[in-house]
Amino acid sequence: MNTCSLGWQAARYFGHNLHRCRLSSLTDNHIPSLARTAAGALFAQPQLAPNAHRSFNYTPDRRCQQRVSAVVAAPPEADTMVKAEPQAVYRKDYKPPPYLIERVHLTFVLNEDSTRVLSRLSFKPNYDGEAPPPLPLDGRKDVKLVAVKVAGEALAADSYELTDKKLTLSGLPKGAFEVEIETEIKPQENTSLEGLYKSSGNFVTQCEAEGFRGITFFLDRPDVMAKYTTRVEAAKEPYPVLLSNGNLLDSGDLPDGRHFAVWEDPFPKPCYLFALVAGSLSLKEDTFTTRSGRSITLRIYAEAKDIDKVGHAMRSLQKAMKWDEDVFGLEYDLDLFNIVAVSDFNMGAMENKSLNIFNSRLVIASPATSSDLDFARVEGVVAHEYFHNWTGNRVTCRDWFQLTLKEGLTVFRDQEFSADMNSRAVKRIDDVTRLRTAQFAEDSGAMSHPIRPDKYIKMDNFYTLTVYEKGAEIVRMYNTLLGKEGFRKGMDLYFQRHDGQAVTCDDFRAAMADAKGRDLSAFAAWYGQAGTPQVTVAGEYDAAARTFTLSASQRTPPTPGQSDKAPVPIPIAVGLLGADGQELPLHLKGHENGAAPTTEVLLLEGAQQEFVFTEVSERPVPSLLRGFSAPVKLEVEGQDEEQLRFLLAHDSDPFCRWEAGQRLLRSLLMALYAAAADTAKGESVEERVAGAGGVPEALVGALRAVLDDPSLDGAFVAAAISLPSASELIDDIPGVDPVVLHDVRQYVARQLAEQLRPELEAAVKRTDSAPGEAYSPDAASAARRALKNRALYYLGELGDAEVGADLLRRTREATNMTDHIAALAALIDHPGAERDTALQEFYEAWKGEPLVLLKWIGIQAGAHVPGNLGAVKGLLGHPAFALSNPNMCYALFLSFLRSTPNFHAADGSGYAFLADSILQVDKVNRQVAARMTGSSAFTSVRKFDARRQGLMRAQLQRILAQDGLSENVYEIASSSLQE
């Protein structure tokens, strides 16, 4: 699932990831991706042929209609409303279910007032002993139980127990048996957007993680895998399209203007992968021929007004299918693959078997309405969800604690796909930036958890950057240590052993180890330990012995619930550069094999280790953690600014070259913050910063050389001259004043703009589009726009009237959304006529395009203009905004979080506004409200100055005191308050 996706650090993205399953619900403002940074912090948008079977027509007969029923009136409050402290679920308590389900037959009778769901479940025993134990089935208060039968007989009143969340059946027969259940639900009243709900007049499902229990009573857990046959009945005129998982077996008309369709999925799956769509949708169809010669029908469904904008998604799907065959040998296993785009969706997308359901913003793309980042996001998320067909569907999770088994692995796969389709170097920098900016903050906050958590209250809250992004980094470390060929062998063995099973992270690690005969047991620590390891490296050159020794040590700071940390295996990719900037051949002591590579992977396994390189002819400059070979924070003792400038100029590893510039900029920002925070001097922040020396000419010169280097990729240059995000610095500044830090970053941006103005203007001139040039989202064209728009962002920081006029002109003359929104972003923080005019003209041009208006909402909500809270509150009542739509909420509320002067206002008004909004949204959609809670500074309250800590804690206490607070918000708010 994509979520970009997604958990409480959403505001930093959804996915995947973002691309990313659930994390892809995130807006681009909240994901400091390279593409977003390059565009000037713009808002782009808040991861085998079946055998034929006979048709199954499940219509209740007279006996079924006369059976004993258990009718339960749904209470007014939702099932997750808190009356007592919610209880956690623990991984250590996992037990297999007492029964398994072999086949599921479902009939949905869709009507405008309510929907009837009839299920026939074929159970088989999975218990020890002679006496059949009770069968607990998951449900919810708003699921009305109409009738239940076991083995064809209505149950006696004392043979079942119905509570708010369970239907428990007792007195069951020995051996296999069938259970028939009839329920009634009201999708049209379902604002939570999970289970079965209505979106823009269409019926849609979202069942991951625990939404299926909102449809019917079931063993709603991922280790219960069954084959599904689904019959859907509805009125034909308003719902001409009837879809479910698998292959279409039968369809036809019914009396009274109704019709039906029967779908069968021949592959066992857990209920979280069930999907249903019924509505009025247009269709684009194409095909893909597999390497074995099978023709697969590909269909994308969307609203009629958007169907001409799904071509990029279709091409992305075809590229992903071919890539998975070429790289992993994985061929699609059915004859049909459907994608449906819907407007109201909590996440980015969902990998339901053969019927992927997407948030429309991750399917719809056109040059006029979509930015380069939108195009990249569509490509990445379509690939992510398709890749889940094997890594998530064919092999799934035993329990939800193993979520990273499918999500971390699939994020790694989609990252590799995007790297192969575009610039590998830029993609890696983009992914590392997202990890550092958001996941590292998650690791050090109140909700810090391992990639395989030990407990949860609401599983929805654990679709996090840690599970997705850090999980992908763990998978990448296997790839680094085993090599591409060894990793492929591990994947092949994984599928050979576990196809059709629900397994654990340990099973995946065992396949990797066994494929290469390597002991990887130490990697278990990465799965059970929270926090970001901090690695310190020192180098010593012995000219007489011609050796260079690297001494490395590691420590992981305490996190909530884990005070003592064990060492973890950390692969450190290393290179050595000579005085001329050339790579030196490497001879690692103890690893002599005749080869002399220029990059060596060192494995730091203990708290401290030494690695000795021999035959080193001169004192080298080490290039460390190449390709960001492990998700750690690295400190290099003795590394001075001269060495960093040398690496920025010469390192052949693109990540390390970029990282050298980022280290220089981080060091400067930290020093200037220290000066700015010294209020004893009495001057303004800018005066204190200027008095500390400002931006040194040596650094400006290094960045100037990067800007003037024609051999460099434009997107790389845009990244290299971008400032590190504030969140990367906060962990290293105890009691940070976020507004002062923001002011320091703005000061440095202005100084760089002033000193690099000729080079920035030259970059704009040489990368500007030619008159009449057609837009293309290809990597080279996007890279050119990335550099141009990064340069325009810096020039916009000058507040120059001439620049302002040019930016307004660019908003009017832009021939694509990338350039239009980038020019608007460069104006947004500078009050004036140009800004107001550009905003008004943008709205008038795009008021008929809801997805484009997400950008308009988000860019205003995130503006740093003083006193902008009033404008944000005004957007709540704007016709373009709807509180019930998750995309709108993410665009407005999560964008507001990045408006540091307003969200972190000294009077606490920003915190109060967010708390008010969380409580309001929680009444409509608890998952969105939880993301708003977790995406804010509330989960990192202890990192800020004492005054802001007090203001945040007061708002958290107010949230927790709210009657009827959802468990989703409770879990995050209570953990944040306890840190």
Side-chain angles (χ1 to χ4, degrees), residues 364-379:
I364 308 306
S366 73
T369 62
S370 307
S371 68
D372 288 338
L373 184 53
D374 296 330
F375 276 91
R377 182 74 54 80
V378 168
E379 181 181 79

mmCIF file with all atom_site columns, all heavy atoms in Angstrom, residues 364-379:
data_model
loop_
_atom_site.group_PDB
_atom_site.id
_atom_site.type_symbol
_atom_site.label_atom_id
_atom_site.label_alt_id
_atom_site.label_comp_id
_atom_site.label_asym_id
_atom_site.label_entity_id
_atom_site.label_seq_id
_atom_site.pdbx_PDB_ins_code
_atom_site.Cartn_x
_atom_site.Cartn_y
_atom_site.Cartn_z
_atom_site.occupancy
_atom_site.B_iso_or_equiv
_atom_site.pdbx_formal_charge
_atom_site.auth_seq_id
_atom_site.auth_comp_id
_atom_site.auth_asym_id
_atom_site.auth_atom_id
_atom_site.pdbx_PDB_model_num
ATOM 1   N N   . ILE A 1 364 ? -3.780 10.756 -12.330 1.00 0.00 ? 364 ILE A N   1
ATOM 2   C CA  . ILE A 1 364 ? -4.058 11.815 -13.293 1.00 0.00 ? 364 ILE A CA  1
ATOM 3   C C   . ILE A 1 364 ? -2.811 12.673 -13.498 1.00 0.00 ? 364 ILE A C   1
ATOM 4   O O   . ILE A 1 364 ? -2.219 13.175 -12.533 1.00 0.00 ? 364 ILE A O   1
ATOM 5   C CB  . ILE A 1 364 ? -5.214 12.711 -12.788 1.00 0.00 ? 364 ILE A CB  1
ATOM 6   C CG1 . ILE A 1 364 ? -6.425 11.850 -12.405 1.00 0.00 ? 364 ILE A CG1 1
ATOM 7   C CG2 . ILE A 1 364 ? -5.573 13.754 -13.816 1.00 0.00 ? 364 ILE A CG2 1
ATOM 8   C CD1 . ILE A 1 364 ? -6.897 10.933 -13.482 1.00 0.00 ? 364 ILE A CD1 1
ATOM 9   N N   . ALA A 1 365 ? -2.397 12.862 -14.743 1.00 0.00 ? 365 ALA A N   1
ATOM 10  C CA  . ALA A 1 365 ? -1.219 13.687 -15.025 1.00 0.00 ? 365 ALA A CA  1
ATOM 11  C C   . ALA A 1 365 ? -1.293 14.242 -16.434 1.00 0.00 ? 365 ALA A C   1
ATOM 12  O O   . ALA A 1 365 ? -1.536 13.506 -17.396 1.00 0.00 ? 365 ALA A O   1
ATOM 13  C CB  . ALA A 1 365 ? 0.061  12.875 -14.855 1.00 0.00 ? 365 ALA A CB  1
ATOM 14  N N   . SER A 1 366 ? -1.082 15.551 -16.537 1.00 0.00 ? 366 SER A N   1
ATOM 15  C CA  . SER A 1 366 ? -0.981 16.200 -17.842 1.00 0.00 ? 366 SER A CA  1
ATOM 16  C C   . SER A 1 366 ? -0.041 17.388 -17.695 1.00 0.00 ? 366 SER A C   1
ATOM 17  O O   . SER A 1 366 ? 0.094  17.951 -16.601 1.00 0.00 ? 366 SER A O   1
ATOM 18  C CB  . SER A 1 366 ? -2.353 16.678 -18.341 1.00 0.00 ? 366 SER A CB  1
ATOM 19  O OG  . SER A 1 366 ? -2.778 17.815 -17.615 1.00 0.00 ? 366 SER A OG  1
ATOM 20  N N   . PRO A 1 367 ? 0.641  17.811 -18.773 1.00 0.00 ? 367 PRO A N   1
ATOM 21  C CA  . PRO A 1 367 ? 1.576  18.937 -18.663 1.00 0.00 ? 367 PRO A CA  1
ATOM 22  C C   . PRO A 1 367 ? 0.929  20.204 -18.119 1.00 0.00 ? 367 PRO A C   1
ATOM 23  O O   . PRO A 1 367 ? 1.552  20.942 -17.356 1.00 0.00 ? 367 PRO A O   1
ATOM 24  C CB  . PRO A 1 367 ? 2.051  19.125 -20.100 1.00 0.00 ? 367 PRO A CB  1
ATOM 25  C CG  . PRO A 1 367 ? 1.895  17.781 -20.735 1.00 0.00 ? 367 PRO A CG  1
ATOM 26  C CD  . PRO A 1 367 ? 0.662  17.195 -20.107 1.00 0.00 ? 367 PRO A CD  1
ATOM 27  N N   . ALA A 1 368 ? -0.316 20.446 -18.505 1.00 0.00 ? 368 ALA A N   1
ATOM 28  C CA  . ALA A 1 368 ? -0.969 21.679 -18.085 1.00 0.00 ? 368 ALA A CA  1
ATOM 29  C C   . ALA A 1 368 ? -1.289 21.684 -16.605 1.00 0.00 ? 368 ALA A C   1
ATOM 30  O O   . ALA A 1 368 ? -1.225 22.722 -15.947 1.00 0.00 ? 368 ALA A O   1
ATOM 31  C CB  . ALA A 1 368 ? -2.248 21.898 -18.898 1.00 0.00 ? 368 ALA A CB  1
ATOM 32  N N   . THR A 1 369 ? -1.623 20.523 -16.049 1.00 0.00 ? 369 THR A N   1
ATOM 33  C CA  . THR A 1 369 ? -2.111 20.477 -14.671 1.00 0.00 ? 369 THR A CA  1
ATOM 34  C C   . THR A 1 369 ? -1.159 19.802 -13.689 1.00 0.00 ? 369 THR A C   1
ATOM 35  O O   . THR A 1 369 ? -1.403 19.844 -12.488 1.00 0.00 ? 369 THR A O   1
ATOM 36  C CB  . THR A 1 369 ? -3.460 19.727 -14.614 1.00 0.00 ? 369 THR A CB  1
ATOM 37  O OG1 . THR A 1 369 ? -3.268 18.375 -15.061 1.00 0.00 ? 369 THR A OG1 1
ATOM 38  C CG2 . THR A 1 369 ? -4.504 20.410 -15.482 1.00 0.00 ? 369 THR A CG2 1
ATOM 39  N N   . SER A 1 370 ? -0.095 19.189 -14.170 1.00 0.00 ? 370 SER A N   1
ATOM 40  C CA  . SER A 1 370 ? 0.780  18.398 -13.306 1.00 0.00 ? 370 SER A CA  1
ATOM 41  C C   . SER A 1 370 ? 2.229  18.843 -13.436 1.00 0.00 ? 370 SER A C   1
ATOM 42  O O   . SER A 1 370 ? 2.698  19.174 -14.527 1.00 0.00 ? 370 SER A O   1
ATOM 43  C CB  . SER A 1 370 ? 0.679  16.909 -13.668 1.00 0.00 ? 370 SER A CB  1
ATOM 44  O OG  . SER A 1 370 ? -0.668 16.483 -13.667 1.00 0.00 ? 370 SER A OG  1
ATOM 45  N N   . SER A 1 371 ? 2.929  18.812 -12.318 1.00 0.00 ? 371 SER A N   1
ATOM 46  C CA  . SER A 1 371 ? 4.336  19.199 -12.300 1.00 0.00 ? 371 SER A CA  1
ATOM 47  C C   . SER A 1 371 ? 5.218  17.993 -12.602 1.00 0.00 ? 371 SER A C   1
ATOM 48  O O   . SER A 1 371 ? 4.760  16.848 -12.653 1.00 0.00 ? 371 SER A O   1
ATOM 49  C CB  . SER A 1 371 ? 4.697  19.767 -10.929 1.00 0.00 ? 371 SER A CB  1
ATOM 50  O OG  . SER A 1 371 ? 4.639  18.740 -9.946  1.00 0.00 ? 371 SER A OG  1
ATOM 51  N N   . ASP A 1 372 ? 6.519  18.277 -12.758 1.00 0.00 ? 372 ASP A N   1
ATOM 52  C CA  . ASP A 1 372 ? 7.473  17.186 -12.941 1.00 0.00 ? 372 ASP A CA  1
ATOM 53  C C   . ASP A 1 372 ? 7.387  16.203 -11.783 1.00 0.00 ? 372 ASP A C   1
ATOM 54  O O   . ASP A 1 372 ? 7.478  14.988 -11.977 1.00 0.00 ? 372 ASP A O   1
ATOM 55  C CB  . ASP A 1 372 ? 8.901  17.741 -13.019 1.00 0.00 ? 372 ASP A CB  1
ATOM 56  C CG  . ASP A 1 372 ? 9.167  18.475 -14.316 1.00 0.00 ? 372 ASP A CG  1
ATOM 57  O OD1 . ASP A 1 372 ? 8.458  18.226 -15.309 1.00 0.00 ? 372 ASP A OD1 1
ATOM 58  O OD2 . ASP A 1 372 ? 10.094 19.320 -14.341 1.00 0.00 ? 372 ASP A OD2 1
ATOM 59  N N   . LEU A 1 373 ? 7.231  16.724 -10.580 1.00 0.00 ? 373 LEU A N   1
ATOM 60  C CA  . LEU A 1 373 ? 7.134  15.850 -9.427  1.00 0.00 ? 373 LEU A CA  1
ATOM 61  C C   . LEU A 1 373 ? 5.874  15.005 -9.482  1.00 0.00 ? 373 LEU A C   1
ATOM 62  O O   . LEU A 1 373 ? 5.877  13.832 -9.093  1.00 0.00 ? 373 LEU A O   1
ATOM 63  C CB  . LEU A 1 373 ? 7.168  16.668 -8.137  1.00 0.00 ? 373 LEU A CB  1
ATOM 64  C CG  . LEU A 1 373 ? 7.162  15.855 -6.837  1.00 0.00 ? 373 LEU A CG  1
ATOM 65  C CD1 . LEU A 1 373 ? 8.274  14.821 -6.830  1.00 0.00 ? 373 LEU A CD1 1
ATOM 66  C CD2 . LEU A 1 373 ? 7.288  16.772 -5.640  1.00 0.00 ? 373 LEU A CD2 1
ATOM 67  N N   . ASP A 1 374 ? 4.783  15.563 -9.982  1.00 0.00 ? 374 ASP A N   1
ATOM 68  C CA  . ASP A 1 374 ? 3.551  14.786 -10.150 1.00 0.00 ? 374 ASP A CA  1
ATOM 69  C C   . ASP A 1 374 ? 3.785  13.608 -11.103 1.00 0.00 ? 374 ASP A C   1
ATOM 70  O O   . ASP A 1 374 ? 3.370  12.480 -10.836 1.00 0.00 ? 374 ASP A O   1
ATOM 71  C CB  . ASP A 1 374 ? 2.428  15.651 -10.713 1.00 0.00 ? 374 ASP A CB  1
ATOM 72  C CG  . ASP A 1 374 ? 2.019  16.764 -9.774  1.00 0.00 ? 374 ASP A CG  1
ATOM 73  O OD1 . ASP A 1 374 ? 2.137  16.579 -8.559  1.00 0.00 ? 374 ASP A OD1 1
ATOM 74  O OD2 . ASP A 1 374 ? 1.583  17.818 -10.267 1.00 0.00 ? 374 ASP A OD2 1
ATOM 75  N N   . PHE A 1 375 ? 4.447  13.890 -12.226 1.00 0.00 ? 375 PHE A N   1
ATOM 76  C CA  . PHE A 1 375 ? 4.718  12.825 -13.192 1.00 0.00 ? 375 PHE A CA  1
ATOM 77  C C   . PHE A 1 375 ? 5.607  11.752 -12.568 1.00 0.00 ? 375 PHE A C   1
ATOM 78  O O   . PHE A 1 375 ? 5.367  10.550 -12.735 1.00 0.00 ? 375 PHE A O   1
ATOM 79  C CB  . PHE A 1 375 ? 5.380  13.398 -14.447 1.00 0.00 ? 375 PHE A CB  1
ATOM 80  C CG  . PHE A 1 375 ? 4.412  13.966 -15.450 1.00 0.00 ? 375 PHE A CG  1
ATOM 81  C CD1 . PHE A 1 375 ? 4.042  15.302 -15.419 1.00 0.00 ? 375 PHE A CD1 1
ATOM 82  C CD2 . PHE A 1 375 ? 3.863  13.148 -16.434 1.00 0.00 ? 375 PHE A CD2 1
ATOM 83  C CE1 . PHE A 1 375 ? 3.148  15.818 -16.335 1.00 0.00 ? 375 PHE A CE1 1
ATOM 84  C CE2 . PHE A 1 375 ? 2.967  13.661 -17.364 1.00 0.00 ? 375 PHE A CE2 1
ATOM 85  C CZ  . PHE A 1 375 ? 2.600  14.997 -17.309 1.00 0.00 ? 375 PHE A CZ  1
ATOM 86  N N   . ALA A 1 376 ? 6.641  12.168 -11.844 1.00 0.00 ? 376 ALA A N   1
ATOM 87  C CA  . ALA A 1 376 ? 7.525  11.200 -11.191 1.00 0.00 ? 376 ALA A CA  1
ATOM 88  C C   . ALA A 1 376 ? 6.777  10.417 -10.134 1.00 0.00 ? 376 ALA A C   1
ATOM 89  O O   . ALA A 1 376 ? 6.976  9.201  -9.976  1.00 0.00 ? 376 ALA A O   1
ATOM 90  C CB  . ALA A 1 376 ? 8.726  11.925 -10.584 1.00 0.00 ? 376 ALA A CB  1
ATOM 91  N N   . ARG A 1 377 ? 5.910  11.099 -9.397  1.00 0.00 ? 377 ARG A N   1
ATOM 92  C CA  . ARG A 1 377 ? 5.153  10.430 -8.348  1.00 0.00 ? 377 ARG A CA  1
ATOM 93  C C   . ARG A 1 377 ? 4.210  9.389  -8.934  1.00 0.00 ? 377 ARG A C   1
ATOM 94  O O   . ARG A 1 377 ? 4.101  8.276  -8.409  1.00 0.00 ? 377 ARG A O   1
ATOM 95  C CB  . ARG A 1 377 ? 4.367  11.486 -7.557  1.00 0.00 ? 377 ARG A CB  1
ATOM 96  C CG  . ARG A 1 377 ? 3.553  10.975 -6.400  1.00 0.00 ? 377 ARG A CG  1
ATOM 97  C CD  . ARG A 1 377 ? 4.404  10.589 -5.219  1.00 0.00 ? 377 ARG A CD  1
ATOM 98  N NE  . ARG A 1 377 ? 5.287  11.638 -4.785  1.00 0.00 ? 377 ARG A NE  1
ATOM 99  C CZ  . ARG A 1 377 ? 4.959  12.677 -4.036  1.00 0.00 ? 377 ARG A CZ  1
ATOM 100 N NH1 . ARG A 1 377 ? 3.714  12.861 -3.666  1.00 0.00 ? 377 ARG A NH1 1
ATOM 101 N NH2 . ARG A 1 377 ? 5.874  13.539 -3.653  1.00 0.00 ? 377 ARG A NH2 1
ATOM 102 N N   . VAL A 1 378 ? 3.522  9.712  -10.018 1.00 0.00 ? 378 VAL A N   1
ATOM 103 C CA  . VAL A 1 378 ? 2.624  8.749  -10.658 1.00 0.00 ? 378 VAL A CA  1
ATOM 104 C C   . VAL A 1 378 ? 3.415  7.518  -11.098 1.00 0.00 ? 378 VAL A C   1
ATOM 105 O O   . VAL A 1 378 ? 3.019  6.373  -10.837 1.00 0.00 ? 378 VAL A O   1
ATOM 106 C CB  . VAL A 1 378 ? 1.890  9.395  -11.854 1.00 0.00 ? 378 VAL A CB  1
ATOM 107 C CG1 . VAL A 1 378 ? 1.191  8.331  -12.696 1.00 0.00 ? 378 VAL A CG1 1
ATOM 108 C CG2 . VAL A 1 378 ? 0.878  10.425 -11.365 1.00 0.00 ? 378 VAL A CG2 1
ATOM 109 N N   . GLU A 1 379 ? 4.534  7.742  -11.753 1.00 0.00 ? 379 GLU A N   1
ATOM 110 C CA  . GLU A 1 379 ? 5.343  6.624  -12.226 1.00 0.00 ? 379 GLU A CA  1
ATOM 111 C C   . GLU A 1 379 ? 5.793  5.733  -11.074 1.00 0.00 ? 379 GLU A C   1
ATOM 112 O O   . GLU A 1 379 ? 5.686  4.502  -11.132 1.00 0.00 ? 379 GLU A O   1
ATOM 113 C CB  . GLU A 1 379 ? 6.565  7.149  -12.981 1.00 0.00 ? 379 GLU A CB  1
ATOM 114 C CG  . GLU A 1 379 ? 7.464  6.050  -13.532 1.00 0.00 ? 379 GLU A CG  1
ATOM 115 C CD  . GLU A 1 379 ? 8.672  6.624  -14.235 1.00 0.00 ? 379 GLU A CD  1
ATOM 116 O OE1 . GLU A 1 379 ? 9.636  7.039  -13.554 1.00 0.00 ? 379 GLU A OE1 1
ATOM 117 O OE2 . GLU A 1 379 ? 8.673  6.645  -15.497 1.00 0.00 ? 379 GLU A OE2 1
#
